[in-house]
Amino acid sequence: MNKPAKPPLHRDVEAFLRTGMELATSDRGELALSLAAKALAEVPGDPRMAAFGRLVSSHQVPKFHHGMLRDTQRNQLYRKAIERLAPGRKVLDIGTGSGLLAMIAARAGAEKVIACELNPMLAATAREIVAANGLSEKITVIGRHSGMLDRNGDLDGGADLVISEIFSDDLLGESVLPALKHARQELCAPGAIFIPDSAEILVAAVEFSGSSMALGEVEGFDLSLFERHLGPVRTFNPASANIALSSDPRTLFRFDFNAADYPALSRENEIDLGIPTAATNGLAQWIRFTLAEGIVYENRPGSARATHWPVRFTPLGPHTNPIRNDLRIGGWHNAEKLAIWPLID
Amino acid sequence: MNKPAKPPLHRDVEAFLRTGMELATSDRGELALSLAAKALAEVPGDPRMAAFGRLVSSHQVPKFHHGMLRDTQRNQLYRKAIERLAPGRKVLDIGTGSGLLAMIAARAGAEKVIACELNPMLAATAREIVAANGLSEKITVIGRHSGMLDRNGDLDGGADLVISEIFSDDLLGESVLPALKHARQELCAPGAIFIPDSAEILVAAVEFSGSSMALGEVEGFDLSLFERHLGPVRTFNPASANIALSSDPRTLFRFDFNAADYPALSRENEIDLGIPTAATNGLAQWIRFTLAEGIVYENRPGSARATHWPVRFTPLGPHTNPIRNDLRIGGWHNAEKLAIWPLID
């Protein structure tokens, strides 16, 4: 007696999507891609099946990848730093995504590149992209978080150069600090260097001239109590004409990844922004990387060049306007969160 | 012997944030607000503690609330429909958030309003907002998903009018279909009516004239394989000048919430968009609600009025240009996902 044939995947879309999405978020994410490819192979070129496959392979992949990979300024500055420092070195690329920075390092003459990516589905695609670009012999893509790598087993004794671009708009959100600290202590050969060399969280007083950011009254009801759930910040494109600096920028926190003393995972600081203009109504926070000496990326408000990192804006209360004294700013961060507050004299 | 005094919350920020964020995402979310209030009470008016409290109360609250609550068109049209239909009725508001639509119903003369909100922290704030606006006697806010309500215990025999605005830009993402079906079957009195009356998913061929959406080559490497992880769609502000319709819009799926036959939770359909222009390079998908007869909201591309719902754009492959025949579109949805694909003759 023959077993009944299993129905082809495209006949049971619900089961296909359910299984595919489960795999896409599991530690066997590469099977999600195989499943999508198999389903499409049953009905080659079928746009319906291709659309379902795309639902699976994009499931819970962060949307920022598109803007980041098309951020020409970011790409070019990382390339310049990598081309200067990668030749002859054993490179570790943390959070490789598409494999772009790893491929730049390999092409620049790295001895060897180990690229890790915590999403196994993305790691499988990075492996395919590396192969399509003829760099499989130089680059090994590992589908694990860098915290799960082994200096000897995976890194042949330790990396000489660590590259990472896992920075969010408040610098910290993707847990870059513990990842780089772990890499420095557990995954490096003696004397290893890091790209970026340093990163900074910058703050300035600003005049925001767009429509009111506060909820206040809506349809005749007072909704101001809902403000507390909206987060301390809104985000803006740094090229926005609605936001202008009203004080000099100051560095609130600086992280030196190549210093002997590794940056602390939690700190508090206070800075003085001087006397702001009467129209000051908020604080802007943005980021600056020194990738290598003289190679600097910054998404400062008023930047003419497009960037995928937004500027973060924190409104100041009405009691701060007009301000007659120095505007002092308090700040705190830990391994994943940043808080900023005004200290008015 | 006295017990050692517990350190005040503001002395142990890490513990405060950890506990607060855990509570904020638990089924006792209102305790997160109490914790933040208690910490602030220890150092009244302290901007540092206020900033930490804000990190807790905004933890994992979706960012869309701000744009949605400030979407004047949305608010006004819902108000018009509610003012027409709420007087004298027992109202259920599903997913009340800030409590806005529930308050509009109460002010319009609803007999009674039951508002539910699955996030207990937001429900606690909605309760405070309702009180601040003097409507506590008319509105009961329940911090549970509508699926956990009881017709007799919570709704006094059943609602006469169900209001909901839990629609995402593909209409389905917030599981509105199963929630409204459950409400119709389990939470209503006989003859109950719904706002919106109906909702539609609309599609048209479009010419997108902005910078290329495809990854293609980046820094000399072919990254096109990464496209599959970027999702079938990008989103646009409907007022964007970069997107112009190149066919008449057609309704791909329509959901009649007041019909005798409740909308199916999963369907497939095919529509014909006619012969598009040679410069057609994608499909736009947007939404339209008929809140009540003659009260219509639509985020159609080219809309002059601001709206918080973006238009979704799906690029067409290069093989579709130029198109000499009708452009037919396939579509499928289930209770949470939408897929759209071109069927080229």
Side-chain angles (χ1 to χ4, degrees), chain A residues 104-121:
Chain A
I104 290 172
R107 183 179 60 189
E111 182 203 316
K112 185 184 167 141
V113 183
I114 293 93
C116 66
E117 168 53 50
L118 65 82
N119 181 329
M121 183 169 69

Side-chain angles (χ1 to χ4, degrees), chain A residues 191-241:
Chain A
I193 53 175
F194 278 57
I195 297 175
D197 173 70
S198 66
E200 290 162 85
I201 294 173
L202 291 137
V203 175
V206 290
E207 297 176 9
F208 172 71
S209 57
S211 62
S212 165
M213 298 302 282
L215 278 180
E217 189 176 287
V218 175
E219 290 292 324
F221 297 105
D222 179 2
L223 293 193
S224 51
L225 279 165
F226 199 79
E227 279 286 342
R228 60 191 179 204
H229 299 302
L230 298 177
V233 297
R234 314 277 186 271
T235 58
F236 286 91
N237 185 320
S240 166

Side-chain angles (χ1 to χ4, degrees), chain A residues 57-322:
Chain A
S57 59
S58 62
H59 185 59
Q60 291 187 15
V61 174
K63 286 183 191 298
F64 62 69
H65 280 284
H66 186 263
M68 181 180 72
L69 289 169
R70 291 190 64 80
D71 183 340
T72 308
Q73 188 188 176
R74 178 199 90 114
N75 296 341
Q76 286 177 353
L77 293 175
Y78 263 90
R79 176 171 54 73
K80 275 176 73 173
I82 292 168
E83 287 177 347
R84 186 190 296 172
L85 297 172
R89 285 199 162 96
K90 200 190 308 169
V91 175
L92 168 63
D93 176 18
I94 295 181
T96 198
S98 65
L100 177 63
L101 302 185
M103 293 193 293
I104 290 172
R107 183 179 60 189
E111 182 203 316
K112 185 184 167 141
V113 183
I114 293 93
C116 66
E117 168 53 50
L118 65 82
N119 181 329
M121 183 169 69
L122 298 190
T125 294
R127 219 170 277 127
E128 284 185 57
I129 290 174
V130 163
N133 287 278
L135 291 165
S136 296
E137 291 197 5
K138 277 217 161 179
I139 302 174
T140 305
V141 180
I142 301 177
R144 274 180 266 147
H145 189 278
S146 61
M148 305 298 284
L149 298 186
D150 178 79
R151 178 163 18 204
N152 295 314
D154 296 313
L155 285 156
D156 196 21
D160 307 313
L161 171 64
V162 176
I163 303 168
S164 67
E165 203 283 75
I166 51 169
F167 297 99
S168 59
D169 52 14
D170 67 356
L171 208 123
L172 307 154
E174 294 176 42
S175 296
V176 65
L177 297 182
L180 295 190
K181 184 174 186 177
H182 172 268
R184 169 67 77 191
Q185 292 174 342
E186 305 294 337
L187 305 176
C188 282
I193 53 175
F194 278 57
I195 297 175
D197 173 70
S198 66
E200 290 162 85
I201 294 173
L202 291 137
V203 175
V206 290
E207 297 176 9
F208 172 71
S209 57
S211 62
S212 165
M213 298 302 282
L215 278 180
E217 189 176 287
V218 175
E219 290 292 324
F221 297 105
D222 179 2
L223 293 193
S224 51
L225 279 165
F226 199 79
E227 279 286 342
R228 60 191 179 204
H229 299 302
L230 298 177
V233 297
R234 314 277 186 271
T235 58
F236 286 91
N237 185 320
S240 166
N242 286 332
I243 193 161
L245 299 194
S246 59
S247 80
D248 284 337
R250 292 287 309 275
T251 297
L252 180 60
F253 293 110
R254 180 186 163 92
F255 306 87
D256 284 304
F257 301 118
N258 284 313
D261 274 356
Y262 196 81
L265 298 188
S266 183
R267 276 184 296 177
E268 194 156 335
N269 192 24
E270 216 177 292
I271 54 174
D272 193 323
L273 295 179
I275 299 177
T277 61
T280 293
N281 57 2
L283 302 171
Q285 174 257 306
W286 65 98
I287 52 181
R288 178 162 63 200
F289 306 118
T290 299
L291 297 168
E293 201 190 327
I295 304 176
V296 178
Y297 183 113
E298 181 177 340
N299 63 329
R300 179 177 174 151
S303 306
R305 300 169 80 175
T307 166
H308 75 288
W309 276 294
V311 169
R312 289 157 55 98
F313 173 82
T314 300
L316 287 174
H319 59 289
T320 61
N321 190 1

